[in-house]
Amino acid sequence: MTARRSRHRSAAYAALALGLAGSLALTGCNSHSSKKPKTSKKSSSSSSKSKKRRIIGGGAAAAGAGAAASRRVPDCFPSTYKVTFSQQSGPDSHVTVKFKNTTSRDCKLYNAPLLRFNNAKSPLPLLQGTPGHLDGTRLTVPAHGYAYAVIPTNSAATKGTEQKSVAIDFMGVSASSVTHGPVTVDFAEKRLHLSVGKTKVTNWTSSVHGAQLAAGVGK
């Protein structure tokens, strides 16, 4: 082989080698650029998890608020069939005021009933505190349960004369507020004969005996 042919063949091999190297480099670049970074999958995954946590947390808070609202005890309110009156005679004479919670859920009573006999301008005074200085009685009456207040009539002054009617309000949480009312009970319609004079009414209690003791007519 002559020197000229040898030089030509070497130049051809060198050109072929350079071409192959360039092709491999280009292929490597393309495969690198087509791959997505691993971090993007992690970030999208963490983002979706945080969204799920926010949704779950918001749902739990809403459920908690709904449960708190369902546990809130409403105020009791009077009606002509929920509030009844009866009078006991004898040395411990007194009038019993009985309230029945006719609903299927608990309700609240505050302090004492406000009773205006025969359209009186002012309600019967309170035995336990005054309208401006209440003792803060708060009684929860269970569903279909009862509450009681007593008016002592065991003396001539407290017994007074027979009444024709009574307007009933239920006190609210403050001294000047009422929850519902007034409701008027006509004693003649109900064939009741109640005598009430210069007397006072006890706060609500959960038992008639407790109300009698508060009124000083129980044993």
Side-chain angles (χ1 to χ4, degrees):
M1 184 182 295
T2 63
R4 181 178 294 178
R5 281 183 183 177
S6 178
R7 282 196 298 274
H8 274 298
R9 187 171 293 175
S10 297
Y13 285 153
L16 181 60
L18 284 172
L20 286 171
S23 165
L24 287 172
L26 186 59
T27 303
C29 287
N30 287 340
S31 65
H32 242 319
S33 63
S34 66
K35 288 181 181 178
K36 292 182 180 178
K38 292 181 180 179
T39 55
S40 66
K41 185 179 284 186
K42 288 182 181 178
S43 64
S44 65
S45 174
S46 63
S47 172
S48 65
K49 283 181 181 178
S50 66
K51 284 180 181 177
K52 285 180 182 177
R53 280 197 296 270
R54 283 198 296 273
I55 292 169
I56 292 169
S70 67
R71 286 193 299 269
R72 197 173 294 125
V73 180
D75 296 332
C76 302
F77 61 92
S79 74
T80 55
Y81 63 92
K82 290 180 179 179
V83 183
T84 57
F85 295 80
S86 61
Q87 188 154 30
Q88 172 98 24
S89 58
D92 292 327
S93 174
H94 60 275
V95 172
T96 300
V97 185
K98 181 170 75 172
F99 166 75
K100 181 179 181 181
N101 179 7
T102 58
T103 69
S104 57
R105 62 183 298 187
D106 299 353
C107 68
K108 287 196 301 285
L109 287 172
Y110 302 94
N111 300 294
L114 295 177
L115 307 172
R116 292 177 174 83
F117 288 96
N118 284 359
N119 299 316
K121 290 183 179 179
S122 301
L124 208 63
L126 310 183
L127 260 173
Q128 295 152 280
T130 64
H133 300 84
L134 304 176
D135 67 355
T137 293
R138 231 181 244 203
L139 180 66
T140 298
V141 186
H144 307 293
Y146 296 88
Y148 304 87
V150 163
I151 305 165
T153 57
N154 53 348
S155 70
T158 56
K159 192 167 185 179
T161 58
E162 188 170 325
Q163 305 297 313
K164 296 179 180 178
S165 64
V166 63
I168 311 160
D169 273 313
F170 280 180
M171 298 182 73
V173 67
S174 66
S176 59
S177 66
V178 293
T179 57
H180 296 277
V183 169
T184 300
V185 175
D186 188 318
F187 295 142
E189 283 182 2
K190 293 186 176 291
R191 298 180 181 178
L192 290 174
H193 300 280
L194 298 181
S195 294
V196 176
K198 295 181 179 178
T199 184
K200 297 181 179 181
V201 61
T202 68
N203 284 358
W204 292 110
T205 63
S206 57
S207 73
V208 67
H209 183 60
Q212 288 168 351
L213 288 175
V217 293
K219 296 177 182 179

